[in-house]
Amino acid sequence: MQAPIARRGLMLVLSSPSGAGKTTLASRLREDEKGIEMSVSHTTRERRKGEKDGRDYHFVDKGAFTSMRDRGAFLEWAVVFDNYYGTTREPVERALAQGRDVLFDVDWQGAAALRTSAPRDVVTVFILPPSAEDLEQRLNVRAEDPPEVVLRRMRGASNEIQHWDEYDYVVVNHDVEQSAAALRAILAAERLRRERLTGLKGFVQGLLAAL
Ligand code: 5GP
């Protein structure tokens, strides 16, 4: 079989209000798809139970975060619910150049910043909850967050949802299986975009020369 045509990686950016199932969908996509890896953000928020440093986030204090920010280490950063969150530049640039895709779980501010900094590499998807009740229930189930945090996140949800129409794709998460399939379809199509296929020109030249 012929080797696949070389391509530049893409940045698949998922946003949603907390509790809409984005984290589950992101891990599903990584299980189902080869060649896509998660961008692990830096954050100053407290580690939740079950979270692992270096896997879910790089947990850092405010001093470390601001010094990284000041030396330009972040592709984008934002304050969400009083905590700092940021995406480091270097691992993303390396992955894209090597034809690997990177998955991002960032809020609307992060999506907007990434779109501005790398418009040709970024594909954005907004995940909507199927209903307000569903969202509230999922936030309450996340027992490790205190009630006042759940309440703030519900309010935050409405602010986040306002930005739905800035995204390339919108998936209403009625069913995890269906939403996971939708994400795989988006990824499959976006991987085939002509502009990303850096090896296409040489391939076509070879094809034409042989005709
Ligand atoms: P959580 O604290 O629940 O893990 O995340 C809170 C919010 O911060 C989520 O909307 C998540 O998408 C967003 N977030 C996580 N990492 C980053 C990042 O690196 N940059 C930005 N802008 N938002 C992030």
Side-chain angles (χ1 to χ4, degrees):
M1 210 177 73
Q2 199 72 47
I5 290 166
R7 69 172 178 91
R8 181 168 167 79
L10 60 85
M11 297 160 72
L12 187 66
V13 178
L14 302 185
S15 301
S16 76
S18 311
K22 176 182 49 174
T23 309
T24 310
L25 286 172
S27 8
R28 269 298 297 273
L29 193 64
R30 275 178 304 140
E31 284 162 26
D32 296 345
E33 288 287 337
K34 280 202 223 41
I36 189 157
E37 58 205 61
M38 193 81 201
S39 164
V40 181
S41 297
H42 281 66
T43 184
T44 60
R45 94 150 151 68
E46 291 291 312
R47 193 160 60 88
R48 293 197 192 110
K49 228 169 77 200
E51 282 183 334
K52 211 171 137 197
D53 187 38
R55 182 194 63 191
D56 301 289
Y57 282 105
H58 298 288
F59 294 96
V60 291
D61 62 27
K62 208 168 156 188
F65 191 98
T66 46
S67 89
M68 285 178 76
R69 180 196 63 192
D70 295 346
R71 70 183 141 84
F74 293 122
L75 203 51
E76 65 80 33
W77 65 276
V79 179
V80 185
F81 303 118
D82 296 338
N83 292 305
Y84 289 79
Y85 293 83
T87 305
T88 38
R89 183 185 301 277
E90 202 272 327
V92 178
E93 286 177 352
R94 188 163 11 108
L96 298 190
Q98 294 173 354
R100 289 178 286 123
D101 303 319
V102 188
L103 185 61
F104 295 82
D105 169 345
V106 296
D107 78 327
W108 70 270
Q109 305 171 83
L114 292 175
R115 207 182 282 119
T116 306
S117 73
R120 296 220 289 238
D121 295 322
V122 168
V123 178
T124 57
V125 184
F126 198 85
I127 317 278
L128 281 172
S131 67
E133 296 77 49
D134 185 274
L135 185 71
E136 188 166 9
Q137 202 198 341
R138 290 203 227 184
L139 283 177
N140 280 322
V141 168
R142 201 183 263 174
E144 59 271 25
D145 286 333
E148 65 274 14
V149 172
V150 172
L151 198 66
R152 274 185 76 198
R153 285 175 183 263
M154 275 304 276
R155 296 212 186 100
S158 131
N159 179 39
E160 185 78 19
I161 289 171
Q162 315 276 335
H163 296 274
W164 68 276
D165 61 353
E166 295 159 20
Y167 286 73
D168 300 318
Y169 300 91
V170 177
V171 172
V172 182
N173 190 16
H174 290 288
D175 171 78
V176 177
E177 293 307 316
Q178 270 180 25
S179 304
L183 288 181
R184 289 199 301 276
I186 292 167
L187 185 62
E190 289 287 345
R191 280 174 167 169
L192 290 172
R193 282 191 91 99
R194 177 172 47 79
E195 315 88 79
R196 294 192 218 292
L197 295 170
T198 46
L200 200 52
K201 200 168 168 193
F203 173 78
V204 174
Q205 278 166 354
L207 198 61
L208 288 174
L211 282 178

